[in-house]
Amino acid sequence: MSAVAAVTRHPAKTTGQETLIEASNVVSNLHGVSETMLWTLYDRACESERSDGVLIDHESARICEAIDYDFAGRFGNPDGSFAARAAEIDHLIMRWLENHPDGVVVSLGEGLETQGRRVDNGRMQWFTVDLPAAIEFRENFLTPSKRFRHIAANALDLMWADELGPTTDIFIVAQGLLMYLQPKAVQRLFADLVARFPKAELVFDVIPQWFSALTMWGVMKTPYYRLPPMPWGIDAEDVGSCLHEWSSSIETINLLEYRAPRGWPRLMENLLRMNPTNKRYLPCLVQVVLQNKPPSPTGPRRPLHV
């Protein structure tokens, strides 16, 4: 079934990035994990419209306005945490592009994220990899171009990597994706990415074990929206040992915090962070830099940077 039940299209605006489509009255049939792309879109769009927002994302606001959907009724009041997460990843990508201006960024499970437009240096290539229904929905608002490509595929099947062509400058983003996978699938995907892209840099976010367990029992965010199960959770203090166990080709691991910018979520985080040991109870971003050469079998293990 199509992910879109009704849509009104207007003339497209062509840029050097993805082509903008001035759509309106788009009705979504997305459900389950795929529906979370609307939740994160709404958070970014609302944050972008604030004078004190932590993210400027006019395209998310435009797309949100074009969708006929009760965002507030479904997801409640946005707290800006997804926008803060996106802003932190934006900074990582822009710093990477300073040294790899012609590099390739691959965004796995991207949904309706418009990150590529926010960080574009005019030279990079951007590949959006997502399931066919998600790509179909995305292309109601953004269609691919020569530098911005869409690949309708399961991120776990690395056949999508064949579309990238020969390149060694790769930055891989998995934002809001891995927690929805089974633990064995996460391990397999990580190992496959390391093997296929041995010089890459990766960034992804993780949730703590307690929150993963809670979603498996069932959590209602609002009376009308139940969070999808998130099978993979890992506490921040365990990330380093886990990833090193999965691969011996890691140069560095950095754990980066992102925080709700205001309100009671910010207050609760401030209280938790008063005790440094409580960091394990909070979500975080993980930046992984792979080695440029095979590691020595007897060499020392690289340190974990927090």
Side-chain angles (χ1 to χ4, degrees):
M1 179 181 293
S2 170
V4 181
V7 58
T8 301
R9 296 176 183 271
H10 301 283
K13 295 180 180 179
T14 302
T15 70
Q17 303 170 321
E18 293 162 300
T19 299
L20 305 179
I21 299 177
E22 298 296 339
S24 60
N25 301 316
V26 179
V27 179
S28 168
N29 289 331
L30 298 170
H31 56 84
V33 174
S34 293
E35 191 179 10
T36 63
M37 73 172 72
L38 300 177
W39 180 18
T40 55
L41 171 77
Y42 180 56
D43 190 84
R44 296 193 310 274
C46 291
E47 188 67 18
S48 181
E49 293 179 343
R50 295 180 61 103
S51 60
D52 61 347
V54 298
L55 182 74
I56 298 175
D57 190 357
H58 299 306
E59 293 310 319
S60 284
R62 177 185 68 86
I63 294 171
C64 194
E65 182 67 24
I67 300 174
D68 183 6
Y69 186 89
D70 184 9
F71 289 94
R74 189 74 165 150
F75 304 124
N77 294 324
D79 63 16
S81 57
F82 292 134
R85 180 181 70 182
E88 185 64 34
I89 298 176
D90 284 359
H91 296 151
L92 291 176
I93 297 173
M94 287 188 287
R95 287 200 293 269
W96 182 81
L97 286 172
E98 290 176 0
N99 296 319
H100 309 272
D102 298 303
V104 172
V105 181
V106 180
S107 185
L108 303 178
E110 188 169 33
L112 292 173
E113 173 63 81
T114 57
Q115 195 156 54
R117 304 187 66 83
R118 298 194 301 269
V119 305
D120 187 21
N121 64 355
R123 296 168 57 179
M124 69 173 194
Q125 295 185 68
W126 189 281
F127 287 80
T128 295
V129 179
D130 213 328
L131 296 172
I135 292 294
E136 180 187 6
F137 194 73
R138 180 183 180 87
E139 290 186 353
N140 284 284
F141 316 101
L142 298 162
T143 57
S145 67
K146 184 176 180 180
R147 287 194 301 114
F148 284 70
R149 300 272 301 278
H150 293 173
I151 303 176
N154 188 327
L156 295 174
D157 183 354
L158 257 62
M159 289 184 65
W160 54 260
D162 296 337
E163 301 289 329
L164 273 58
T167 181
T168 57
D169 293 339
I170 301 283
F171 191 104
I172 299 173
V173 182
Q175 181 178 191
L177 171 66
L178 300 186
M179 64 282 297
Y180 296 110
L181 305 178
Q182 293 295 328
K184 288 295 184 183
V186 177
Q187 180 179 359
R188 184 174 67 252
L189 176 60
F190 185 82
D192 288 346
L193 291 174
V194 171
R196 185 66 182 263
F197 306 110
K199 299 181 181 180
E201 187 166 323
L202 300 86
V203 64
F204 54 89
D205 55 316
V206 298
I207 59 169
Q209 289 188 10
W210 71 266
F211 190 71
S212 169
L214 198 62
T215 66
M216 299 305 287
W217 280 98
V219 178
M220 297 297 297
K221 187 179 190 309
T222 69
Y224 305 102
Y225 184 66
R226 179 173 180 167
L227 298 184
M230 303 180 192
W232 189 58
I234 183 169
D235 295 344
E237 62 185 4
D238 298 325
V239 169
S241 59
C242 177
L243 296 185
H244 280 298
E245 182 179 338
W246 289 355
S247 173
S248 60
S249 299
I250 296 173
E251 179 76 18
T252 58
I253 300 173
N254 299 307
L255 303 186
L256 308 168
E257 66 179 47
Y258 67 91
R259 309 177 64 182
R262 66 190 68 82
W264 70 264
R266 177 78 176 203
L267 176 62
M268 292 301 296
E269 285 191 29
N270 286 342
L271 292 174
L272 279 172
R273 292 181 188 276
M274 291 178 67
N275 183 345
T277 62
N278 287 336
K279 285 185 177 181
R280 67 181 185 273
Y281 299 128
L282 297 170
C284 67
L285 288 171
V286 181
Q287 178 193 26
V288 179
V289 179
L290 300 180
Q291 293 178 339
N292 290 327
K293 59 183 179 180
S296 170
T298 58
R301 175 171 287 181
R302 297 285 181 172
L304 171 67
H305 297 273
V306 179

